[in-house]
Amino acid sequence: MKAHLEKLDPSKNIARYYRISVLPNLFGEWTLHREWGRVGRGGQVRMDLFRSQVEAEGALDTLIHAKQKRKYEKV
């Protein structure tokens, strides 16, 4: 499961992205992989571990909802 969100507002010079994905790791856990930054540039990366896929996907849904409140749109 993954999502790509962007926030674009040329009048305010805003061009941001947020990528989120849920991936299994080698130890039987699930990783919520996040990357964010300015469009066209490398960004920050963060990985959070979860014991189950359900927990990780719940966190992904929560993040998507929070970003959409801040005017990010799915691409």
Side-chain angles (χ1 to χ4, degrees):
M1 197 171 174
K2 58 182 155 182
H4 181 85
L5 304 154
E6 287 188 0
K7 182 177 182 178
L8 303 171
D9 187 352
S11 66
K12 295 180 181 178
N13 196 27
I14 296 174
R16 310 287 297 170
Y17 72 91
Y18 204 88
R19 282 188 211 120
I20 317 166
S21 58
V22 173
L23 305 165
N25 68 15
L26 296 174
F27 305 107
E29 296 175 324
W30 289 84
T31 304
L32 179 66
H33 183 269
R34 303 190 243 177
E35 182 181 353
W36 66 92
R38 188 155 175 82
V39 172
R41 301 264 179 147
Q44 301 283 326
V45 175
R46 178 176 174 171
M47 290 184 262
D48 298 313
L49 297 176
F50 293 89
R51 294 198 180 272
S52 72
Q53 183 177 5
V54 173
E55 290 177 26
E57 288 177 353
L60 181 136
D61 290 337
T62 301
L63 280 171
I64 290 173
H65 183 68
K67 291 298 172 184
Q68 286 176 330
K69 279 185 174 181
R70 292 179 171 236
K71 308 295 184 200
Y72 279 78
E73 297 177 3
K74 284 188 178 181
V75 177

